[in-house]
């Protein structure tokens, strides 16, 4: 019996085919899991950076728009009609996605106003300034404005159809853009609510900042 057992072939050292296949499968599973974790982590970091960038961009844009709106100032009429207002209203035009107004800010050390326009074009909130060129002598302090300076892009990735500007009177009643077509109607604007919405790349939700800005120099 012992002699018969000795004659049985001895098992060679190493892995069997089944063990080798299992090892390959486990190695592949571990590698797949590692790649998935790397890709997920990279995407999360990229998404966080995109959201942070959108938030910073919206905040910076809001600061600039608010700064100019706070300084909105009426422009004296060159030849006012007796019995009528002496000034043109601070707001020149007002829609849901654009606004244009006069602002008295010290941009270069000179005591002169600037005409400012904000509008959304191709998903970009843009600012255009028109510096004052001269003060008409003997004409009620009226200011004229020259050619536009280069347009400045403030915020990108604004979703189409977003309402950026809303208008309110002194009683906080909303004034719809459709009813702001005349000087008298626009003269009633006492504050402007600005909403800057940015859709960060890859993010499910947009970043939105809203601020209601009063115009201390109006009225």
């Amino acid at each position: 019996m012992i002699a018969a057992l000795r004659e049985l072939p001895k098992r060679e050292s190493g892995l069997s085919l089944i063990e080798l296949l299992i090892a390959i499968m486990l190695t592949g599973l571990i590698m797949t899991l590692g790649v998935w974790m790397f890709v997920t982590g990279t995407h999360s970091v990229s998404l966080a950076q995109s959201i942070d960038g959108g938030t910073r961009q919206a905040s910076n844009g809001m600061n600039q728009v608010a700064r100019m709106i706070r300084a909105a100032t009426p422009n004296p009429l060159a030849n006012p009609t007796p019995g009528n207002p002496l000034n043109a209203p601070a707001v020149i035009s007002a829609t849901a996605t654009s606004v244009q107004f006069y602002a008295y800010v010290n941009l270069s050390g000179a005591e002169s106003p600037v005409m400012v326009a904000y509008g959304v074009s191709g998903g970009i909130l843009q600012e255009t300034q028109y510096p004052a060129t001269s003060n008409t002598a003997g004409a009620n302090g009226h200011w004229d404005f020259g050619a536009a300076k280069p347009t400045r892009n403030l915020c990108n990735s604004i979703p189409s159809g977003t309402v950026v500007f809303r208008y309110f009177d002194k009683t906080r009643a909303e004034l719809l853009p459709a009813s702001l077509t005349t000087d008298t109607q626009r003269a009633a604007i006492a504050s402007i609510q600005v909403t800057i919405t940015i859709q960060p790349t890859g993010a499910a939700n947009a970043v939105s900042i809203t601020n209601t800005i009063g115009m201390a120099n109006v009225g």
Side-chain angles (χ1 to χ4, degrees):
M1 182 66 179
I2 295 176
L5 290 175
R6 288 177 178 174
E7 292 178 358
L8 291 175
K10 295 181 179 180
R11 179 181 176 183
E12 296 182 359
S13 61
L15 299 175
S16 67
L17 179 59
I18 295 177
E19 291 172 333
L20 182 60
L21 291 175
I22 293 174
I24 293 174
M25 291 176 61
L26 290 176
T27 301
L29 181 61
I30 293 173
M31 292 181 64
T32 301
L33 181 61
V35 171
W36 177 82
M37 292 178 64
F38 174 78
V39 172
T40 301
T42 302
H43 176 72
S44 297
V45 171
S46 177
L47 180 59
Q49 291 176 341
S50 179
I51 294 174
D52 180 66
T55 302
R56 290 175 181 270
Q57 187 180 151
S59 179
N60 291 337
M62 179 64 76
N63 289 339
Q64 175 62 17
V65 175
R67 170 175 172 263
M68 300 303 288
I69 290 178
R70 288 192 187 97
T73 308
N75 185 26
L77 294 171
N79 298 294
T81 304
N84 290 320
L86 298 177
N87 303 318
V91 179
I92 304 166
S93 64
T95 73
T97 57
S98 67
V99 64
Q100 187 174 17
F101 55 91
Y102 305 109
Y104 217 100
V105 290
N106 191 348
L107 299 176
S108 60
E111 294 294 331
S112 61
V114 62
M115 186 166 61
V116 187
Y118 291 103
V120 178
S121 177
I124 301 174
L125 178 61
Q126 299 177 323
E127 176 191 78
T128 305
Q129 296 186 7
Y130 303 79
T133 55
S134 63
N135 179 259
T136 306
N140 194 36
H142 172 77
W143 285 93
D144 297 312
F145 297 86
K149 291 184 177 181
T151 296
R152 176 184 176 189
N153 294 337
L154 298 181
C155 301
N156 302 320
S157 304
I158 295 179
S160 176
T162 300
V163 174
V164 181
F165 303 103
R166 296 173 64 190
Y167 308 92
F168 299 86
D169 64 15
K170 292 180 179 179
T171 67
R172 298 184 180 180
E174 184 170 5
L175 305 171
L176 299 179
S179 64
L180 296 173
T181 58
T182 68
D183 284 356
T184 301
Q185 292 169 335
R186 291 191 300 276
I189 299 174
S191 62
I192 300 176
Q193 184 183 90
V194 181
T195 300
I196 296 181
T197 302
I198 295 178
Q199 182 62 58
T201 302
N205 299 318
V207 173
S208 185
I209 298 178
T210 299
N211 188 13
T212 300
I213 306 145
M215 299 185 292
N217 299 328
V218 174

